[in-house]
């Protein structure tokens, strides 16, 4: 699992790459990313040749954004490389957070 940040010099934005390794996916056929930045509307990650899944999202700098991954449309999981974790407010689970 990984969250990579690339800050843009020309705009107050960061390109954030969310990636789940093949190991973390554990055989899932679909992997999606849902978070505050997309209205918690799960968006599919692209499968890579090595079996990992990833996507890149542009987010405004200066904020904290909660997110989670959805495996096969049924299983929620967090990112072990998240900057921190907060209570989801929906269940006893926590959400991953990326800080920009």
């Amino acid at each position: 699992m990984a969250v990579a940040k690339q800050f843009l010099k020309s705009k107050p934005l960061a390109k954030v790459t969310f990636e789940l390794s093949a190991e973390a996916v554990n055989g899932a056929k679909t992997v999606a990313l849902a978070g505050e930045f997309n209205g918690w509307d799960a968006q599919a990650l692209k499968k890579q040749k090595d079996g990992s899944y990833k996507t890149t999202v542009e987010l405004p700098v200066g904020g904290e954004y909660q997110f989670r991954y959805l495996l096969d449309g049924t299983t929620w999981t967090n990112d072990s490389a998240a900057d921190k974790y907060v209570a989801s407010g929906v269940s006893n689970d926590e959400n991953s957070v990326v800080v920009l």
Side-chain angles (χ1 to χ4, degrees), residues 29-51:
K29 302 281 186 236
T30 63
V31 178
L33 172 69
E36 292 178 310
F37 44 82
N38 64 7
W40 292 98
D41 182 24
Q43 297 176 343
L45 276 71
K46 187 174 180 184
K47 187 172 184 178
Q48 307 299 300
K49 289 181 182 178
D50 65 1

Side-chain angles (χ1 to χ4, degrees), residues 16-93:
V16 182
T17 301
F18 298 90
E19 183 174 5
L20 276 177
S21 67
E23 224 173 57
V25 169
N26 197 23
K29 302 281 186 236
T30 63
V31 178
L33 172 69
E36 292 178 310
F37 44 82
N38 64 7
W40 292 98
D41 182 24
Q43 297 176 343
L45 276 71
K46 187 174 180 184
K47 187 172 184 178
Q48 307 299 300
K49 289 181 182 178
D50 65 1
S52 66
Y53 286 78
K54 85 171 154 178
T55 193
T56 300
V57 178
E58 282 191 1
L59 298 173
V61 172
E64 295 186 3
Y65 305 93
Q66 295 181 38
F67 70 96
R68 293 191 88 188
Y69 298 106
L70 183 61
L71 308 178
D72 287 336
T74 59
T75 305
W76 290 98
T77 190
N78 282 322
D79 195 314
S80 62
D83 295 323
K84 64 182 188 177
Y85 305 92
V86 297
S88 72
V90 178
S91 66
N92 291 332
D93 293 326

